[in-house]
Amino acid sequence: CIIHGGVTSMNPFLMKFFPGVYHKEQEAERNQSNQYCKFDSQLLTMFTSSLYLAALVASFFAATVTRVAGRKWSMFAGGVTFLVGAALNGAAKNVLMLILGRVLLGIGVGFANQSVPVYLSEMAPARLRGMLNIGFQLMVTIGILCANLINYGTAKIKGGWGWRVSLALAAVPAGIIAIGALFLPDTPNSLIDRGYTEDAKKMLRRVRGTDDIEEEYSDLVAASEESKLVSHPWRNILQRRYRPQLTFAIAIPFFQQLTGINVIMFYAPVLFKTLGFADDASLMSAVITGLVNVFATFVSIVTVDRLGRRKLFLQGGTQMLACQIVVGSLIGAKFGFTGVADIPKGYAAFVVLFICAYVAGFAWSWGPLGWLVPSEIFPLEIRSAGQSITVSMNMLCTFIIAQAFLPMLCRFKFMLFFFFGAWVVVMTLFVAFFLPETKNVPIEEMVLVWKAHWYWGRFIRDEDVHVGGADVEMRS
C-alpha cells in the first residue's frame, strides 16, 4: 500500500497512467493555485482503493480455508496470490493491468490478515500473547519503512522506470510469506479442531517448552468440542452471548481507520508535496514517519503485556487528538480555505514534527492493538468468522477512506484533520467505557472477562460460560 502511495507521487508514473492528474498537478504548481485539489481523481483513488475491496471479499473465503485447512495454508494462499499481483503490477502496460494486479494484492492481504493474527494469538502463551502478536504489526511497520526507502531510491532512477522496481519488489515479502508458511507448524487449536489430537499435544509441548500442558490441553479440547456443536458459525455469531465480541470485531477496525492514519501513511508523499516539499523531500519525509512508526511499535511490544491494552488505547488516542488539532491548525493558518500559500522550510518541518508525534501515538496504540484485541477475544467456535468480520470491516473502511480522501481533502481543506480528530474523541471514550482489560487472560477463558464486565455481563448467561469443560457459575 505504501509502495503504491509513493509511486503516485512519481511524475513518470503519473504521466504514463494518470496524465490528467499529472497535468493538474503541474498547472497547480505553475499558477500557485489550490493545492488541496491537485490530486483529486476518481481513477487514481480507484487504483489505490481496489486492493481493500478485494481484501474485503477475500476475507470471507479465507475464513473457510483457515478453519477447514488450517492457518498455515491460508497464509500460503495469501502469499502466492500477493506474489502474482506484484508481478502483474511491475509489468503493467495499462491501467487495467494495474488495477487487476492491485486486486490480486488485495486477495493476498485478505487471506494474510485473516490468518496471521489468529495464528499468533493461538500459538502464544497468555502472558506473552500481546508482545508476540504485536510482532505482526512490527513487521508491517518495517515493511512500511522499507517501502518508503525503496520509493526514495527508485525515484532517482534515470529513465523514469523506477516505479516498476517499486511495484515489483512487493514480490519479496510475498515470497517470504508463501515459502515461510510451508515450514510453519499449524496451531494446537487448529490441529485439535481437525482431529489431529496427538499432533496437537506434541505441538503444545513444543511451543510451551514443557510437558506440563494437560490443563491447557484440556481447555483446548473443551473449546474444540463446543465449537463442533456450532454448525453455522456465521449464524451463531449473531447470538446474544457473542454480542460483546461481535461489537468489537466491527467497532475496532471501524475506529482504527477513522483515526486518519491512512491519510498520513498511505498518502504521505502526496500530503508532503501538497505542503510544498519537492519530490525527493516528500519521499524523504515519508521515510522519517516510517522510522517513527517502527520505533514506536517497539514501545507497544515492551508495554502491552505490562500496562495492558486499555491504557495504551487511551494514551494513544489522547496523543493523536492533540497532534491532529495542531497539524490542522498549522496547515489552516498557511493555506486557509484557498489552498494557496508558500510554506517556509522551518514551518513545514514543524508540521512534520507533529505528524511524527501523531504516527508514534498510533503505532503504540490503535495500530497494533487494532489487530491484537479482535484476534484474542473470540471463542474457538466462531473465531474464524469473527476474524473475517474484523478484516472485512477494516478493508471496507480503508476502501471508503482511500476512495474518499482526495475528494475530501479538496472540499474539507485543513478541516479534514479536525474531522478525523472528532472520531478519535469518540473512539477513545468508547474504549474507556466498554473495553475490558484482556492482558494475561488465557485465550480460551476470555469469556470470563466479558461476564465480569459492568455492561457486557448482561448478555452472557451463567450457563454460557465454559472453562476446561466445566460450567463456571458466576453472578452478574
Side-chain angles (χ1 to χ4, degrees), residues 27-263:
E27 183 180 354
E29 291 178 0
R30 280 196 307 269
N31 303 330
Q32 291 189 325
S33 56
N34 192 334
Q35 297 293 302
Y36 292 120
C37 299
K38 62 185 182 182
F39 290 101
D40 185 13
S41 164
Q42 281 302 307
L43 185 60
L44 179 60
T45 51
M46 177 56 73
F47 159 68
T48 303
S49 57
S50 56
L51 180 149
Y52 313 115
L53 197 59
L56 186 159
V57 176
S59 64
F60 290 105
F61 294 97
T64 301
V65 175
T66 302
R67 186 179 71 254
V68 175
R71 286 50 166 154
K72 65 175 289 180
W73 293 113
S74 185
M75 287 187 273
F76 176 76
V80 170
T81 310
F82 200 96
L83 187 64
V84 176
L88 200 58
N89 270 181
K93 299 292 184 182
N94 50 52
V95 175
L96 181 61
M97 284 184 70
L98 275 180
I99 293 179
L100 180 58
R102 187 82 169 152
V103 167
L104 291 174
L105 293 178
I107 294 172
V109 168
F111 271 81
N113 281 345
Q114 206 284 335
S115 55
V116 173
V118 170
Y119 183 92
L120 293 171
S121 287
E122 290 182 345
M123 278 295 202
R127 61 187 176 83
L128 298 176
R129 188 174 62 244
M131 180 186 74
L132 294 176
N133 200 296
I134 291 176
F136 169 65
Q137 182 67 19
L138 176 63
M139 293 300 104
V140 171
T141 61
I142 291 174
I144 290 172
L145 175 61
C146 291
N148 284 325
L149 288 170
I150 288 169
N151 286 334
Y152 183 70
T154 57
K156 297 179 179 294
I157 294 177
K158 295 180 180 179
W161 51 271
W163 60 269
R164 289 194 182 276
V165 179
S166 288
L167 295 179
L169 282 177
V172 175
I176 292 173
I177 292 174
I179 296 171
L182 294 176
F183 295 94
L184 285 176
D186 223 329
T187 68
N189 312 63
S190 179
L191 290 170
I192 291 172
D193 208 35
R194 290 182 289 130
Y196 302 106
T197 53
E198 287 305 312
D199 290 339
K201 271 191 175 181
K202 292 178 183 177
M203 183 52 57
L204 197 56
R205 290 191 187 100
R206 179 180 169 188
V207 297
R208 297 295 180 259
T210 178
D211 290 332
D212 185 19
I213 50 91
E214 290 305 321
E215 184 178 350
E216 183 176 1
Y217 179 77
S218 66
D219 283 348
L220 297 181
V221 170
S224 177
E225 290 174 352
E226 187 172 349
S227 73
K228 289 175 182 176
L229 299 176
V230 179
S231 56
H232 303 286
W234 290 102
R235 185 189 306 163
N236 282 66
I237 203 172
L238 299 176
Q239 292 180 4
R240 180 179 173 86
R241 61 175 168 160
Y242 300 128
R243 193 70 49 78
Q245 296 96 324
L246 179 60
T247 298
F248 278 92
I250 294 171
I252 287 182
F254 174 78
F255 285 140
Q256 187 190 53
Q257 297 310 312
L258 285 170
T259 57
I261 187 61
N262 287 346
V263 175

Side-chain angles (χ1 to χ4, degrees), residues 124-131 208 305-306 309 439-442:
R127 61 187 176 83
L128 298 176
R129 188 174 62 244
M131 180 186 74
R208 297 295 180 259
D305 289 315
R306 297 178 184 177
R309 285 62 160 152
K439 71 171 182 176
N440 299 331
V441 180

Side-chain angles (χ1 to χ4, degrees), residues 213-337:
I213 50 91
E214 290 305 321
E215 184 178 350
E216 183 176 1
Y217 179 77
S218 66
D219 283 348
L220 297 181
V221 170
S224 177
E225 290 174 352
E226 187 172 349
S227 73
K228 289 175 182 176
L229 299 176
V230 179
S231 56
H232 303 286
W234 290 102
R235 185 189 306 163
N236 282 66
I237 203 172
L238 299 176
Q239 292 180 4
R240 180 179 173 86
R241 61 175 168 160
Y242 300 128
R243 193 70 49 78
Q245 296 96 324
L246 179 60
T247 298
F248 278 92
I250 294 171
I252 287 182
F254 174 78
F255 285 140
Q256 187 190 53
Q257 297 310 312
L258 285 170
T259 57
I261 187 61
N262 287 346
V263 175
I264 299 294
M265 299 304 293
F266 289 0
Y267 292 103
V270 173
L271 189 61
F272 285 121
K273 284 184 77 170
T274 299
L275 286 175
F277 285 70
D279 291 359
D280 287 350
S282 70
L283 290 170
M284 194 63 226
S285 298
V287 170
I288 294 170
T289 59
L291 280 169
V292 171
N293 202 13
V294 170
F295 287 114
T297 304
F298 276 108
V299 174
S300 188
I301 288 176
V302 172
T303 59
V304 67
D305 289 315
R306 297 178 184 177
L307 297 178
R309 285 62 160 152
R310 279 173 49 84
K311 287 183 179 178
L312 287 179
F313 266 131
L314 297 176
Q315 190 283 330
T318 302
Q319 182 170 325
M320 287 190 293
L321 174 62
C323 292
Q324 282 168 319
I325 292 172
V326 172
V327 171
S329 300
L330 289 173
I331 293 178
K334 279 294 181 181
F335 283 112
F337 287 97

Side-chain angles (χ1 to χ4, degrees), residues 9-20:
S9 71
M10 298 180 187
N11 286 335
F13 176 81
L14 291 176
M15 289 171 64
K16 181 173 180 61
F17 296 105
F18 305 98

